[in-house]
Each structure stands twice: as C-alpha cells, then as structure tokens.
Amino acid sequence: MCFASPFIDDLEDFIWEAAFHYVKGLPVPNPLVEGRTKRLFDAVDQAKHIGWSLKAVQWGNLAAGTQFELVIQRADIFKKAVALGFAKLDATSPPEDLGRALIRHWNEKVVGDGKYQGVTDARVGILLKDNARKNFVLVESSYPPFNEEAFAWKWTNATATGLQGFSDGRLKLRWYPNQKQLFEVFHIPDQATRVSISPARIDADEFVEAVMGLLSPKDAPVARAVEDEVPAKVVRPAAFKK
C-alpha cells in the first residue's frame, strides 16, 4: 500500500512507524498534532505496556544468520564521565571503563524512557530492506537493558579508532570516539518474518483525486497552479481546478 503511492519512495522513518502501528492494531500517530519526540520507543501499546524501538535499514544480504548493525545512540561519555560514575574518561582510559560507561549511558535511556512512556516490555522492531525494495525482513525481539558485567571490551586496532564490545563471544556493540556514535550489532534470526512484494504504482492524478474525494469540502486544501508551469498533458483533478 505504501509503495503504491506515487509520493512515497521508501519505507523509512515515520512511514515505517505508521505502517507498524497499523499492522499491530495501534492508533496511527498524527505528527501534525502530536509532534515528534526523541524518546526510545516509537510505538507503544499502552494497554499491554509494550514499547518498540523502530528502525528501517537497507541491507543487501537478508539471509538468516546475516550480521548487520545500526546506530542506536550518540554517546559522548567523555563529557558525562562523572555522571556515569568515573572521575575522568578519555581515549587513554582502559577499554573496560569506557565500555562500562557506554552501557550505563545506554541503559539510562532505556530505563528512563521506559518509565516515562509506561513501558515494561521493551522490544526492538527492525525492518530490513534489500536494494530493490521488494524483499523485506522484520527482526523483532526483546530489548532489555544491557548487563555491563557480560561484556568484554577491546580497541579495534592500535590507533584506538573504534571500541568493540563482545558478549557471549560475539561482537555486540561498537563505538567510535570521534563521532561518539554507538552501534549495536544484530543477527537475522531463522524465525524472522519475511515479506516479498511486486509494487504497482498508482497514477498520481488518480491517487490525488481519490484522496481528495475522502476529504470534506471544509478540509480540502485549495491549490493554485501557475498555468505556464503545468504541462498541458496533465489533467488536474477537480479539487485543484477550483
């Protein structure tokens, strides 16, 4: 349905969030009224206290077991060292201290936003898309705070350009001190939901006329076209001729 619209080129950001709300049976938010926030949970089932952090990522390989990563937070732990329980942090600090600070920085977001948004069951919902936007995978799982005791940390190389966090022997987190970006590494599970589509686009004029027909006259926007800017072959819907 989204790709059928001639004015939508991808499932991302609010479009993905709105589609997720619809499929889950949640009220689709209206950012024109409610605004947008930077809270962690983009979709919340208030009755069940479930919250989802939603992401959409283009990734070439959608096979089960494939590793992919995405930015989950900008973590400037050097400036926030004291608040995170350290006298000082910089690039020369032990990797384990930096890693613990990163975990605490992230967990504050998870716990704080969870309380604010009334979420007790935290989850993540990631839509993976192939390059053609015809094959999709939904990775949905629980998203609890990290256990800082379960991580081992080391620099990627001798120049300390990137810090890696391993849990259960697998790379789980990656942080770059220059950009302060914290990445989380995920894997596509065998049981992930898969969808394939053959998108068919609706003619722009037909689409606009259909939508305008659903609006009451008092809500219908009035558009004025400059004649010499409108190609002669385009026939404008009646609503635009007013």
Side-chain angles (χ1 to χ4, degrees):
M1 184 278 296
C2 290
F3 282 105
S5 168
F7 304 107
I8 294 177
D9 69 338
D10 203 352
L11 272 171
E12 58 187 352
D13 301 327
F14 176 75
I15 300 171
W16 161 231
E17 294 172 16
F20 187 92
H21 278 78
Y22 183 82
V23 172
K24 290 290 186 180
L26 302 174
V28 177
N30 183 353
L32 299 180
V33 175
E34 303 163 10
R36 299 278 281 162
T37 73
K38 293 185 178 181
R39 296 291 177 180
L40 177 62
F41 301 104
D42 304 293
V44 177
D45 186 329
Q46 299 291 350
K48 298 180 180 179
H49 303 287
I50 303 173
W52 291 268
S53 177
L54 300 176
K55 306 288 185 181
V57 183
Q58 181 179 337
W59 207 262
N61 185 359
L62 302 185
T66 297
Q67 174 181 299
F68 65 95
E69 60 184 64
L70 52 86
V71 177
I72 60 173
Q73 190 180 44
R74 187 178 188 279
D76 192 349
I77 58 174
F78 294 162
K79 288 185 178 180
K80 301 178 181 179
V82 175
L84 295 171
F86 299 88
K88 181 182 178 181
L89 290 173
D90 57 32
T92 64
S93 299
E96 289 296 334
D97 286 352
L98 297 175
R100 287 178 181 275
L102 288 168
I103 295 294
R104 294 174 190 178
H105 192 280
W106 171 248
N107 284 351
E108 283 184 2
K109 179 71 172 175
V110 177
V111 175
D113 283 5
K115 289 181 178 179
Y116 183 87
Q117 296 181 272
V119 172
T120 57
D121 184 351
R123 303 183 188 180
V124 63
I126 305 171
L127 182 71
L128 294 169
K129 309 165 290 185
D130 66 3
N131 295 333
R133 308 300 200 280
K134 293 185 178 181
N135 298 290
F136 304 83
V137 174
L138 174 62
V139 177
E140 183 181 354
S141 63
S142 61
Y143 210 39
F146 294 128
N147 177 6
E148 64 182 74
E149 302 297 332
F151 279 80
W153 296 88
K154 70 176 184 179
W155 289 108
T156 305
N157 50 42
T159 59
T161 55
L163 186 67
Q164 296 178 326
F166 293 83
S167 180
D168 295 328
R170 302 180 82 176
L171 178 63
K172 183 66 177 175
L173 295 172
R174 194 194 308 271
W175 180 70
Y176 297 94
N178 288 340
Q179 294 84 20
K180 309 297 189 295
Q181 290 181 323
L182 179 63
F183 289 76
E184 183 171 356
V185 179
F186 298 86
H187 292 80
I188 301 177
D190 294 336
Q191 68 275 20
T193 301
R194 295 179 177 274
V195 176
S196 295
I197 66 171
S198 297
R201 308 285 275 182
I202 297 175
D203 176 78
D205 284 338
E206 292 179 357
F207 180 88
V208 170
E209 191 160 17
V211 173
M212 297 293 284
L214 296 174
L215 299 173
S216 63
K218 66 181 180 65
D219 294 328
V222 178
R224 178 178 298 169
V226 179
E227 292 298 331
D228 59 0
E229 293 181 359
V230 180
K233 66 179 180 180
V234 175
V235 178
R236 295 299 179 191
F240 281 110
K241 294 179 180 179
K242 296 180 179 179

